[in-house]
Amino acid sequence: MAALLTAVALTAGLAGCAPASQSPAAASSPDGTGPQGAGQLSGTVTVFAAASLKATFTRLADEFEAKNPGTKVTLSFAGSSDLATQITQGAPADVFASADTKNMARLSDAKLIDGTATNFATNVLEIAVPSSNPASIASFADLARPGIKVVVCASQVPCGAATDTVEKASGVTLSPVSEESSVTDVLGKVTSGEADAGLVYVTDVKGAGDKVKGIPLAEAGKAVNTYPIATVGSSRNKDLASAFIAMVTGTEGRKTLADAGFGAP
């Protein structure tokens, strides 16, 4: 009996010294390396992101894959309203990053995202003209001059809604020759010479380099777009989605976004 009691005591002591098991639902690391650190994530994460995020998210996706061998980030860029509609219709997305809070709210109200979206950046409009500025555009009012070919985003797209806000704030009504479904399409019309000017984000002008010239808007502060990001409720790889969001909203993501011209949320 004495020997039996001694064995039981030793077993209990060893159990008390064993390390506690870690929960599989642990939060993602702030550097986007997942719940258990680098190398613990695997699989593919599909990210639906606003067109204005193309350059920054492409860079962050490359860095995410490098930090997490065995993972793949699939990126799909378009106007935020188009992406929200696709998700509503069942498109297989894991992460949604919108260029406005309105389209994120559409998905939240429909119970299609997990939890609460996180705001991670802001952006404002700027006039983009060909580098030589042949129409001599100098202000928002110049865009309403007769004969000026100006291109804008459609109203349902965040950059189009921002344009509507600037028109109301300035009292200037535009007569665009084209309304595009994404800000990158507007920029394309300007760089190809099809338009004298286009209303895009400051980040698009910066990213285009010497292909265009940017003209700041005095009214830009009236139409600041806030960018939220969230995990889609139907995601099949929520650990990977959470880790990617952690990178975007963490130190590395904030620096990449700031370098591209985005403002803080």
Side-chain angles (χ1 to χ4, degrees):
M1 178 63 71
L4 178 61
L5 290 175
T6 300
V8 170
L10 286 172
T11 301
L14 289 172
C17 294
S21 62
Q22 295 185 3
S23 169
S28 297
S29 301
D31 61 354
T33 53
Q36 306 291 336
Q40 300 301 311
L41 296 169
S42 64
T44 298
V45 59
T46 300
V47 179
F48 279 23
S52 52
L53 293 167
K54 185 172 184 178
T56 51
F57 269 39
T58 298
R59 188 175 302 116
L60 288 173
D62 290 342
E63 293 171 359
F64 184 86
E65 291 175 353
K67 284 189 172 185
N68 300 280
T71 64
K72 172 68 176 175
V73 181
T74 299
L75 300 168
S76 180
F77 299 104
S80 298
S81 59
D82 289 343
L83 295 174
T85 297
Q86 291 174 34
I87 293 172
T88 300
Q89 294 174 346
D94 298 298
V95 174
F96 177 47
S98 176
D100 67 350
T101 55
K102 179 181 177 181
N103 282 291
M104 183 64 77
R106 283 176 57 193
L107 299 189
S108 179
D109 292 344
K111 311 298 183 185
L112 294 177
I113 64 167
D114 281 348
T116 303
T118 301
N119 296 333
F120 66 94
T122 56
N123 216 344
V124 293
L125 293 179
E126 190 168 52
I127 301 170
V129 298
S131 55
S132 61
N133 194 8
S136 300
I137 303 296
S139 67
F140 187 75
D142 286 342
L143 301 180
R145 292 195 331 242
I148 296 297
K149 294 183 291 183
V150 60
V151 179
V152 301
C153 290
S155 294
Q156 68 268 23
V157 184
C159 58
T163 298
D164 293 343
T165 299
V166 170
E167 286 187 82
K168 292 175 183 177
S170 64
V172 175
T173 300
L174 303 182
S175 299
V177 295
S178 177
E179 295 185 354
E180 304 297 326
S181 61
S182 74
V183 70
T184 50
D185 291 337
V186 174
L187 188 64
K189 294 282 187 181
V190 177
T191 56
S192 67
E194 297 177 62
D196 296 317
L199 282 167
V200 299
Y201 295 117
V202 294
T203 52
D204 297 299
V205 173
K206 185 172 182 177
D210 59 5
K211 292 181 180 178
V212 299
K213 177 182 178 182
I215 299 170
L217 289 172
E219 304 86 356
K222 302 290 185 179
V224 179
N225 277 22
T226 297
Y227 288 56
I229 190 169
T231 300
V232 178
S234 59
S235 169
R236 295 184 178 181
N237 200 336
K238 294 189 178 183
D239 281 346
L240 204 55
S242 295
F244 183 79
I245 291 173
M247 171 173 274
V248 172
T249 58
T251 302
E252 189 170 0
R254 290 198 302 270
K255 182 180 185 306
T256 299
L257 290 159
D259 289 345
F262 287 93

